[in-house]
Amino acid sequence: MTKPTDHLAARAAPAIFVVLWSTGFVGTKYALSGAEPLTYLAIRMVLVVALMAVIAAIGRPRWPNLAGIGHSIVAGLLVHGVYLAGTAIAIAHSVPAGLSALIPGLQPILTSTLANRWLGERVTPQQWAGLALGLGGALMIMHNRTISGDAGWGWFASGCSLVSITVGTLYQKRFCGGIDWRAGNIVQYLAALAFFAAGAFLFETRKVEWTAEFVLAVSWLAVVLSIGSIGLLYWLIRRSAATSVASLFYLVPAVTALMAFVLFDERLDAVAIAGMATCAAAVFLVNRARV
């Protein structure tokens, strides 16, 4: 890749990541029309593992040692297992798609705190200001939204997603950065598949309605999200500080809210639009700050 192309890719990657990641919440709502949360996720992971096996067979990557496999399993359970399960369970418990993005969207604050202590990354005052601004913007986007259904379980599941994706991202940066993404992802997705399959057999009926909506949603989530956006996330993690990458998650509630407004008629008013602009300003502040 030439330097101009590499520079263009580096500038476009964050925006592409935010859009792709946001579609995950919308796609999950469609997928849940055909199966229970863990059952749908197990089916998704079967497809993902099959696709990654083809990619690995073509590329023939170097496989990690036993320690690397262990680290990949932990990262997979955090980044894919608990995070995806929490998101799906929250939406299944009638938490709107836009609202389900709010709690995991608070990741930058938790990431910056942990990165400061765990990875030795110093968070500057300008970055703290950006993180606080982003929190305010995320709350503005989700103001005055109703929560129906079993709200307690939905909020708890969203909280688990927040902790899982935060710790998983930092764990990936610290322990899995040197592992080939193809080999590492196969291990991670196999771990997630075992996690979802066990949960589905223990807690769900495993009934599936193979509608066109379900098949298209699962296909999109498997190919574009689990392979495309996760690969892009890990690429960004290797190139950037954890705080800068995490700040992108402040844009996810805004983009998800916009998609939910178009697709599901979820409320989007002037205050929410102002919150989107606030989140964009927060990301600019965090990524412009110099340590």
Side-chain angles (χ1 to χ4, degrees), residues 228-247:
S229 69
I230 289 295
L232 190 55
L233 172 63
Y234 288 170
W235 183 78
L236 288 168
I237 289 172
R238 287 194 297 270
R239 290 177 60 95
S240 308
T243 301
S244 296
V245 174
S247 69

Side-chain angles (χ1 to χ4, degrees), residues 18-51:
V18 169
V19 172
L20 293 182
W21 197 269
S22 299
T23 65
F25 297 92
V26 174
T28 296
K29 185 164 184 174
Y30 283 118
L32 290 174
S33 66
E36 294 165 286
L38 299 179
T39 299
Y40 128 69
L41 286 169
I43 294 170
R44 172 177 168 178
M45 285 301 114
V46 169
L47 179 56
V48 172
V49 169
L51 292 172

Side-chain angles (χ1 to χ4, degrees), residues 56 66 86 191:
L66 288 178

